[in-house]
Amino acid sequence: MSTVELTKENFDEIVSGNDFVLIDFWAEWCGPCKQFGPVFERSSETHGDLVFAKVNTEKEPELAAAFDIRSIPTLMIVRQNIAVFAQPGALPEAALEDVIGQARVLDMDEVRASVAEAQAQQAQQGQQGQAGNGEQA
């Protein structure tokens, strides 16, 4: 399967409509991106059951900003609408295959529970911070 170009117009449809999406954030001028591109493409041909997508950060700066991409290439894996992996740098083929293997075996129920717990802790910390703001010394 060849890679899909992600844009702000199709991003939600592609990521929400698929259980497992690998996203390569890249730019035309980036040397390491050009090295990683063929590795990413070969992997897409090996894993026909997964969606491989590319975001050109020059054409889609809003997407790059939304994901706080500060270095390219950056590989992100989204499973069931949850980013489970994000790492800058051009991965060698063996490392990419290892990351895909690890992402495949994740227990998404555990991941969702962990995300929910982290969100609850953030909400609780936010409430504690607001309670302290109204007090007088």
Side-chain angles (χ1 to χ4, degrees):
M1 176 181 197
S2 62
T3 58
V4 176
E5 184 177 348
L6 284 183
T7 64
K8 62 184 176 188
E9 287 79 21
N10 70 2
F11 186 89
D12 287 339
E13 175 188 341
I14 290 173
V15 173
S16 297
N18 294 283
D19 283 344
F20 198 123
V21 183
L22 292 93
I23 305 169
D24 175 19
F25 290 88
W26 71 285
E28 190 68 42
W29 53 263
C30 167
C33 297
K34 289 181 181 184
Q35 290 176 320
F36 182 61
V39 172
F40 192 74
E41 193 68 35
R42 279 193 300 276
S43 187
S44 76
E45 293 165 5
T46 304
H47 301 280
D49 59 322
L50 308 179
V51 175
F52 284 71
K54 295 177 83 71
V55 173
N56 183 331
T57 58
E58 293 291 297
K59 293 181 180 177
E60 301 295 332
E62 298 91 348
L63 284 178
F67 289 96
D68 199 27
I69 302 301
R70 297 175 186 260
S71 180
I72 54 174
T74 289
L75 175 68
M76 181 176 289
I77 298 177
V78 179
R79 284 208 45 206
Q80 299 174 8
N81 288 321
I82 299 172
V84 297
F85 178 85
Q87 178 178 310
L91 294 175
E93 204 154 341
L96 177 58
E97 292 302 315
D98 183 50
V99 167
I100 291 170
Q102 290 181 50
R104 280 187 185 274
V105 299
L106 283 174
D107 182 332
M108 291 308 293
D109 289 333
E110 285 183 20
V111 171
R112 277 189 290 280
S114 177
V115 168
E117 183 179 325
Q119 289 172 339
Q121 287 177 350
Q122 285 179 338
Q124 185 178 18
Q125 289 172 351
Q127 290 172 350
Q128 289 172 349
Q130 288 176 353
N133 291 340
E135 297 176 12
Q136 293 181 349

